[in-house]
Amino acid sequence: MDFTLDATRAEIAALTADVLARDPEHAWQALAKAGLLELALPEELGGDGLGPAEVAVVLTEAGRAGAQVPALASLALGVLPLNRMGSPEQRARWLPEIASGEVVVTAAPHEPSRPFAAEPSTEAVVVDGDWVLTGTKTLVPSLAQARCVLVPATLPWGPGVFLVDPRAEGAAVHGTSLRLSGVRVGEADLLRDGSLADLRRFALAGAVALGDGAVAGALALTTAHVRQREQFGRPLATFQAVAQQIADVYIASRTLHLAALSAVWRLDEGLDADEDLAVAAYWLAEEAPKALAVCHHLHGGLGVDITYPLHRHYGLVKELAALTGGASERLDRLGDLVGA
């Protein structure tokens, strides 16, 4: 398999990296202005009609730069599932606003102690012609910025996904948790094809793409540091122990990169991507935090200085590992797939 980016994706990667480097303080609006948030929008809504692979390229570059932008939420948990599962009216309502950078839309696939719950404990019942939602969602990316949240819930006939305003009456935001206490939504807020499996696939694909970039960016920072920093009159990179540790991080980074590319490629091609996503997500949850710990160690005290960018990569990887459900959860899910 050729893992080289094609011309279009290479141009997207270069443009994203350039935009993030030129205007880090206004990165999200700069990405929108460059047209990088509308890549996966259908052409009739002013987009380019591209798919998960191109979105993943933007996410990877955002991770590489350690950019503090709601890319995972709005692109992997907003644009992609809305484009797949939303009605024409829902897509027309939300996708252009996401692409403009003015609105953040995210999703809430997790519940307390139940990552990617296939049968959500959040309930939706009909009251006076409306749907009423009750339940708690956790680890919702960019929740504080979100204007709309895709909320999986159990309807009388099975799971579905609703579009919910986190500021609606009965909704309460606590950090990354969303508590719903009798929140009313209409029939127009129910996605036409509320596939929780698709929502999970997009979430994992986005997480591994973003994590791929975050680890690669941390590796680049660390290799530059150990080349320049001297100890006992020699660059740190010339010490065998340091070289061995950098090699371990390089192996983790390259393995995550290949696993992420393979998973996203299968998802983009409409192939069964579950096993590849499971492998990539496990590697992200298990190995990426260890790699970032080594990067911190090799930086010494500089690694925890908030004026130096490494802490952003570390925090991002930690959040992504939690978003996958954690290493044990990912290993269990991978075992289920292999056993099946």
Side-chain angles (χ1 to χ4, degrees):
M1 183 181 295
D2 183 3
F3 288 99
T4 305
L5 295 179
D6 63 21
T8 298
R9 293 166 193 167
E11 289 179 8
I12 292 170
L15 178 59
T16 305
D18 180 61
V19 168
L20 292 172
R22 281 190 289 108
D23 197 1
E25 293 299 317
H26 306 92
W28 191 239
Q29 287 300 326
L31 290 171
K33 187 175 181 180
L36 291 164
L37 306 186
E38 64 187 29
L39 296 174
L41 266 65
E43 294 180 4
E44 62 268 22
L45 294 179
D48 297 295
L50 300 176
E54 289 75 25
V55 168
V57 171
V58 175
L59 289 170
T60 298
E61 293 307 316
R64 194 187 311 274
Q68 296 178 304
V69 294
L72 178 66
S74 278
L75 298 180
L77 297 175
V79 169
L80 292 180
L82 272 172
N83 213 17
R84 172 72 61 85
M85 302 185 291
S87 67
E89 295 76 17
Q90 290 165 341
R91 293 199 298 270
R93 166 68 181 87
W94 292 106
L95 292 182
E97 290 197 18
I98 297 173
S100 72
E102 298 173 0
V103 167
V104 173
V105 174
T106 188
H110 297 320
E111 295 184 338
S113 301
R114 301 182 70 219
F116 298 110
E119 297 180 358
S121 59
T122 299
E123 292 184 335
V125 296
V126 178
V127 177
D128 297 330
D130 287 333
W131 288 103
V132 176
L133 306 181
T134 302
T136 300
K137 300 295 183 179
T138 58
L139 297 175
V140 185
S142 302
L143 178 58
Q145 301 164 264
R147 285 271 302 277
C148 178
V149 183
L150 277 67
V151 174
T154 296
L155 288 70
W157 56 81
V161 179
F162 289 90
L163 300 174
V164 176
D165 182 349
R167 299 166 302 179
E169 183 178 355
V173 173
H174 302 282
T176 61
S177 295
L178 175 64
R179 182 171 297 172
L180 307 172
S181 302
V183 174
R184 285 180 174 264
V185 294
E187 188 69 26
D189 297 310
L190 177 62
L191 295 188
R192 63 177 184 178
D193 180 19
S195 170
L196 301 193
D198 281 338
L199 186 60
R200 171 181 52 80
R201 292 180 186 113
F202 289 135
L204 290 178
V208 298
L210 189 60
D212 170 21
V215 175
L219 174 61
L221 288 171
T222 308
T223 53
H225 174 75
V226 298
R227 287 194 191 106
Q228 298 165 4
R229 184 65 178 263
E230 291 190 357
Q231 192 172 48
F232 305 114
R234 296 166 52 192
L236 286 175
T238 63
F239 290 89
Q240 185 179 32
V242 172
Q244 288 173 335
Q245 290 178 77
I246 281 290
D248 288 341
V249 177
Y250 174 80
I251 291 170
S253 177
R254 291 300 296 170
T255 304
L256 176 57
H257 177 64
L258 295 177
L261 280 180
S262 177
V264 170
W265 174 78
R266 293 187 68 85
L267 186 64
D268 191 70
E269 292 291 321
L271 303 173
D272 184 356
D274 285 345
E275 288 190 10
D276 291 70
L277 284 169
V279 169
Y282 171 70
W283 198 262
L284 171 62
E286 177 67 20
E287 297 299 332
K290 296 177 184 177
L292 266 292
V294 172
C295 291
H296 266 301
H297 171 69
L298 293 176
H299 272 87
L302 180 62
V304 295
D305 185 343
I306 62 171
T307 65
Y308 186 75
L310 185 63
H311 74 280
R312 299 202 303 266
H313 298 263
Y314 179 83
L316 181 55
V317 165
K318 186 176 180 180
E319 290 173 7
L320 292 173
L323 182 66
T324 66
S328 295
E329 169 69 18
R330 297 322 315 163
L331 188 60
D332 286 344
R333 300 291 74 78
L334 181 57
D336 291 342
L337 288 170
V338 173

